[in-house]
């Protein structure tokens, strides 16, 4: 089979299994890159695979592993299903823990940031009007709900039930779809936003659309955050850290009762869409109050419970 036929066979297999379409974009990117690099060769070769496994200049470890992880399932599929016994899938590079500590937003920094969001001017073009309306709402949503940036960007209108504040998050990391409930103040804000947005894009499909009623890009969200954040703040911060702030503020608000902490931890884990409780436990290391409590109760097993942080 040709390289293109292998890709389409894998796409059909994923579709039949009910898997998400998003990973196929990365497989097709791999296919197109190989075709350009190797003079439009029609067949997948070991040389292509080895070339893809080479670490690029200035490519950080996390990005490198992510790039390989997106193609590896495709290679495993064709090796097993297409009897490509000569194909060798190189080993994955070792996992490297991130040494970065998420920024903890002060109340002053958050006030400055949302003030800048609200001060965006409403110009005449449709794109400028959409930006004026969307930016203050989407960042308040990320901060108040703990949603990932991608989850906010890819939110469909029919996934938000504004009468109850229930939000279905379907386009998320992996296959862990979930339901969250908005705080009443956030529900009111999103209701007013939705009503105003109807006058600009009636019957839209996307909750935070561009002028074509398509999803906003990751670069767009980053650009809006930088412009608003650095208007009044000087320290470095990123939009994804609003999610970390949600976790830390929740933990800080919990009472110091062991049974209540356990229940709240499970609720926070489900709310944030973590696959394991250990993912949520990582935030305890950033909250001195609870780090000490857990260490006093767990003794020598503390480091097994709380992931090591720099």
């Amino acid at each position: 089979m040709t390289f293109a036929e292998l890709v389409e066979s894998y796409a059909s297999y994923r579709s039949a299994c009910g898997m998400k379409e998003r990973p196929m974009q990365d497989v097709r990117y791999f296919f197109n890159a190989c075709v350009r690099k190797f003079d439009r060769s029609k067949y997948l070769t070991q040389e292509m695979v080895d070339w893809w496994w080479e670490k690029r200049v200035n490519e950080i470890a996390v990005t490198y592993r992510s790039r390989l992880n997106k193609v590896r399932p495709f290679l495993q599929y064709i090796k097993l299903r297409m009897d490509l016994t000569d194909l060798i899938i190189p080993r994955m590079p070792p996992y490297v823990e991130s040494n970065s500590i998420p920024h903890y937003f002060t109340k002053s920094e958050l006030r400055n940031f949302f003030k800048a969001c609200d001060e965006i001017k409403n110009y005449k073009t449709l794109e400028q009007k959409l930006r004026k309306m969307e930016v203050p709402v989407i960042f308040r949503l990320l901060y108040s709900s703990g949603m990932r940036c991608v989850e906010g960007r890819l939110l469909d209108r029919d996934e938000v039930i504004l009468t109850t504040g229930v939000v279905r998050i379907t386009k998320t990391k992996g296959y862990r779809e979930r339901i969250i409930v908005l705080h009443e103040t956030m529900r009111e804000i999103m209701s007013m936003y939705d009503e105003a947005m109807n006058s600009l894009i009636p019957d839209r499909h996307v909750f935070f659309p561009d002028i074509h009623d398509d999803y906003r890009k990751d670069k767009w969200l980053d650009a809006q955050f930088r412009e608003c954040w650095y208007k009044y703040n000087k320290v470095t911060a990123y939009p994804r850290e609003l999610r970390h702030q949600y976790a830390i503020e929740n933990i800080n608000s919990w009472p110091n009762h062991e049974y209540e902490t356990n229940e709240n931890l499970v609720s926070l884990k489900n709310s944030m869409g973590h696959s394991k409780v250990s993912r949520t436990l990582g935030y305890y290391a950033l909250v001195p109050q609870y780090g000490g409590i857990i260490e006093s109760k767990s003794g020598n097993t503390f480091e097994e419970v709380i992931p090591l942080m720099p």
Side-chain angles (χ1 to χ4, degrees):
M1 297 178 70
T2 64
F3 197 168
E5 289 172 338
L6 292 174
V7 172
E8 293 311 311
S9 174
Y10 182 59
S12 298
Y13 162 76
R14 291 184 61 87
S15 177
C17 294
M19 297 181 180
K20 294 186 176 181
E21 173 63 23
R22 175 64 181 86
M24 280 307 304
Q25 298 179 22
D26 300 300
V27 174
R28 290 193 170 95
Y29 177 76
F30 166 63
F31 165 74
N32 292 328
C34 289
V35 170
R36 289 193 302 269
K37 173 71 175 178
F38 295 92
D39 299 326
R40 301 192 175 278
S41 174
K42 293 184 178 180
Y43 298 95
L44 176 64
T45 65
Q46 185 66 48
E47 186 180 9
M48 292 178 180
V49 176
D50 293 340
W51 168 72
W52 190 258
W53 242 254
E54 293 176 1
K55 190 173 184 296
R56 298 170 183 172
V57 178
N58 298 327
E59 187 174 35
I60 63 174
V62 173
T63 305
Y64 176 44
R65 277 185 57 91
S66 176
R67 178 168 61 83
L68 302 186
N69 263 327
K70 293 170 181 176
V71 173
R72 192 163 180 262
F74 164 66
L75 298 178
Q76 291 174 325
Y77 166 81
I78 61 175
K79 184 177 175 65
L80 293 173
R81 300 295 182 96
M82 305 302 171
D83 196 29
L84 298 179
T85 55
D86 294 335
L87 181 68
I88 300 175
I89 304 175
R91 290 185 178 182
M92 290 291 294
Y95 178 76
V96 179
E97 286 283 355
S98 173
N99 289 326
S100 62
I101 299 177
H103 176 69
Y104 181 80
F105 298 93
T106 65
K107 291 182 179 180
S108 175
E109 290 172 347
L110 288 172
R111 279 196 300 267
N112 288 340
F113 172 64
F114 288 118
K115 177 184 177 183
C117 291
D118 294 336
E119 289 175 347
I120 295 175
K121 294 182 179 180
N122 190 358
Y123 296 100
K124 295 181 179 180
T125 68
L126 178 58
E127 171 57 31
Q128 290 167 339
K129 291 179 179 179
L130 293 180
R131 176 174 177 264
K132 166 68 176 176
M133 295 171 61
E134 293 177 22
V135 170
V137 178
I138 192 171
F139 286 124
R140 282 180 168 90
L141 175 63
L142 298 180
Y143 168 66
S144 65
S145 67
M147 293 172 61
R148 298 179 177 91
C149 292
V150 65
E151 295 168 348
R153 288 191 301 103
L154 303 185
L155 198 61
D156 290 334
R157 191 183 178 197
D158 62 6
E159 294 173 336
V160 183
I161 305 175
L162 293 171
T163 54
T164 60
V166 173
V167 179
R168 292 186 297 110
I169 302 176
T170 60
K171 291 175 282 297
T172 182
K173 185 177 180 181
Y175 296 90
R176 293 179 292 276
E177 299 180 0
R178 67 188 190 280
I179 293 176
I180 64 171
V181 180
L182 301 173
H183 189 278
E184 179 60 21
T185 55
M186 192 66 233
R187 186 195 68 79
E188 293 175 354
I189 290 173
M190 291 181 64
S191 296
M192 291 187 291
Y193 159 84
D194 186 68
E195 184 177 351
M197 185 63 71
N198 286 341
S199 63
L200 296 180
I201 306 181
D203 302 320
R204 74 188 192 281
H205 169 69
V206 179
F207 199 82
F208 297 107
D210 61 13
I211 59 175
H212 305 293
D213 193 21
D214 202 354
Y215 302 114
R216 290 293 190 179
K217 305 298 183 185
D218 187 44
K219 290 182 179 179
W220 178 87
L221 193 70
D222 287 341
Q224 306 313 312
F225 181 87
R226 286 195 302 270
E227 183 171 335
C228 294
W229 176 258
Y230 292 110
K231 185 174 182 178
Y232 297 114
N233 297 310
K234 294 183 179 180
V235 297
T236 301
Y238 301 95
R240 65 177 180 272
E241 292 171 330
L242 292 171
R243 173 174 163 86
H244 303 316
Q245 188 81 7
Y246 169 82
I248 294 171
E249 289 191 7
N250 266 277
I251 295 172
N252 270 327
S253 70
W254 296 346
N256 297 341
H257 302 302
E258 184 179 2
Y259 71 93
E260 291 185 10
T261 298
N262 291 339
E263 291 180 354
N264 289 330
L265 178 63
V266 174
S267 297
L268 182 61
K269 173 251 184 190
N270 294 334
S271 172
M272 298 187 71
H274 287 152
S275 59
K276 302 176 181 178
V277 175
S278 59
R279 299 285 186 183
T280 316
L281 278 170
Y283 288 105
Y284 276 83
L286 304 177
V287 184
Q289 171 187 353
Y290 275 92
I293 292 173
I294 293 180
E295 184 171 17
S296 66
K297 293 180 179 298
S298 60
N300 295 331
T301 62
F302 177 71
E303 291 186 357
E304 299 176 8
V305 177
I306 306 299
L308 292 177
M309 299 291 288

